[in-house]
Amino acid sequence: MPPVMLSGKLVVHLQETIRVRSLKLTFNGRVDTFVSQSAGGNSAKDEHREIVSHEWVFLAPQKPPVMWGPENRSFDFDLLFQGDNPETVVTALGKIRYQLQATLERTSFHGNLVATTDVPVKRGPMPGAPWALALMESIEAAGDWNQQLDYRVSVPTRSLKDSELFHTRFELEPRTKGLKLISVGVLIKEYARYYSTSGEPLHRFARVVARNENYISPLGTCSTAPRKSDECMDLVDATSVQIPMAIPKAYSGIQYDILTDVIEIRHRIKFLIKVRDSSMLPSIQCLFFLETPVITT
């Protein structure tokens, strides 16, 4: 990936006059893994290293200190950020984080003023790149269950954006009588893998980051409230059901897909169809999953 320019403005807002010795801004990126916190982990294989570090000095150390305020002062900054730096990721066992920290040094009897902010780094598809076009393709899965039910499941796009809502459509056509459609559902699983710098696999972890199961009433309406199978829809004719799914907020609820030398994040979407045929007791249900990779962008 080509480098990009990181640029911004540091604003110092002073409501009173103060003595100032120096002012600087630092940009730091770090990789930290904590695989040793997993069962039987070896702390020697944890990774702690600096990716990038840069400092801007807007006011060199002054002796005697200078007087500032009350006023607003602004300082422009920019940095060429290399395209091979890894993206931000924040998991329980590993983090890649970038931060800006401004430090206004005061005289010895006063505390320094310090402000810190995270700078999320995320890659997007280059316009016209083949894999960028692939992200625009829809997801479709079709087949049959026990020669009793034909199904087709579709999602408008393979690229799922954090904090957005998307819809999944289930198209179902019975081949036999006596089928009950109990529920349909969608879930997204996140898979994290951790490696040593030599490429040795150290730990892997999977979690469900989003799930929505809707029960189908006799009239075909959807609700998340559970229903007994006898209170669900008789699947007599071809039926189409559409349910929503909200993608969690990035970093706190879901990570972006990434591949670095020590952390890999991938996602898969799973579709659930739960039915009961006439030969089953009311307490017995059949459910089956369909699974396919997706990309969080």
Side-chain angles (χ1 to χ4, degrees):
M1 297 287 287
V4 295
M5 187 64 70
L6 170 68
S7 60
K9 188 184 298 287
L10 171 63
V11 178
V12 179
H13 176 63
L14 298 173
Q15 295 181 325
E16 60 182 7
T17 301
I18 63 172
R19 294 173 178 268
V20 178
R21 287 198 181 277
S22 66
L23 175 65
K24 66 179 181 179
L25 177 69
T26 59
F27 176 71
N28 289 290
R30 287 189 57 82
V31 174
D32 293 285
T33 60
F34 313 97
V35 179
S36 61
Q37 295 181 7
S38 62
N42 182 354
S43 61
K45 295 183 179 180
D46 286 349
E47 182 71 14
H48 303 284
R49 73 173 186 264
E50 191 172 71
I51 306 168
V52 60
S53 181
H54 188 82
E55 181 178 270
W56 298 267
V57 177
F58 298 119
L59 179 66
Q62 302 291 305
K63 194 179 267 193
V66 297
M67 305 296 292
W68 281 7
E71 60 184 323
N72 289 337
R73 289 177 179 246
S74 63
F75 305 87
D76 295 325
F77 63 88
D78 57 51
L79 172 68
L80 191 64
F81 186 81
Q82 297 301 318
D84 58 354
N85 287 322
E87 298 172 69
T88 298
V89 60
V90 183
T91 71
L93 297 180
K95 304 180 192 302
I96 299 175
R97 302 183 79 166
Y98 299 88
Q99 288 187 323
L100 281 167
Q101 179 171 290
T103 303
L104 187 149
E105 182 188 7
R106 303 179 67 183
T107 52
S108 56
F109 295 107
H110 298 85
N112 295 337
L113 303 181
V114 179
T116 303
T117 185
D118 285 326
V119 181
V121 172
K122 172 180 172 292
R123 284 188 177 85
M126 295 288 290
W131 72 277
L133 298 175
L135 294 180
M136 300 174 62
E137 297 176 354
S138 62
I139 298 174
E140 294 190 2
D144 71 89
W145 172 71
N146 283 355
Q147 297 184 341
Q148 297 187 59
L149 177 68
D150 291 329
Y151 59 82
R152 180 176 176 272
V153 185
S154 59
V155 175
T157 177
R158 189 173 295 276
S159 173
L160 305 178
K161 299 183 182 300
D162 70 296
S163 302
E164 284 195 350
L165 188 73
F166 73 94
H167 290 81
T168 301
R169 180 177 295 279
F170 296 81
E171 297 177 46
L172 309 169
E173 186 169 357
R175 290 189 184 181
T176 185
K177 296 180 179 180
L179 289 182
K180 283 273 191 182
L181 176 59
I182 299 168
S183 67
V184 295
V186 185
L187 69 84
I188 297 173
K189 288 193 75 172
E190 183 173 87
Y191 299 85
R193 295 191 176 196
Y194 302 88
Y195 302 88
S196 69
T197 51
S198 63
E200 176 191 0
L202 298 179
H203 185 72
R204 52 184 184 174
F205 176 74
R207 63 173 182 152
V208 175
V209 295
R211 179 179 181 132
N212 183 23
E213 181 177 0
N214 276 216
Y215 291 80
I216 315 300
S217 75
L219 298 178
T221 57
C222 299
S223 171
T224 56
R227 287 175 172 269
K228 295 180 180 179
S229 58
D230 286 340
E231 299 171 353
C232 292
M233 180 182 183
D234 290 315
L235 200 53
V236 178
D237 300 312
T239 299
S240 178
V241 178
Q242 182 170 280
I243 64 172
M245 168 74 88
I247 303 297
K249 186 177 180 180
Y251 306 125
S252 59
I254 193 172
Q255 304 300 310
Y256 294 115
D257 284 59
I258 67 163
L259 177 60
T260 73
D261 59 338
V262 293
I263 304 175
E264 177 184 358
I265 305 290
R266 292 288 182 262
H267 296 86
R268 298 185 75 87
I269 189 169
K270 297 187 177 185
F271 307 110
L272 162 72
I273 303 173
K274 190 182 293 185
V275 296
R276 195 191 87 192
D277 69 23
S278 57
S279 66
M280 296 177 178
L281 296 174
S283 59
I284 299 178
Q285 302 166 4
C286 177
L287 59 90
F288 55 99
F289 284 101
L290 317 172
E291 183 176 352
T292 186
V294 289
I295 306 293
T296 54
T297 61

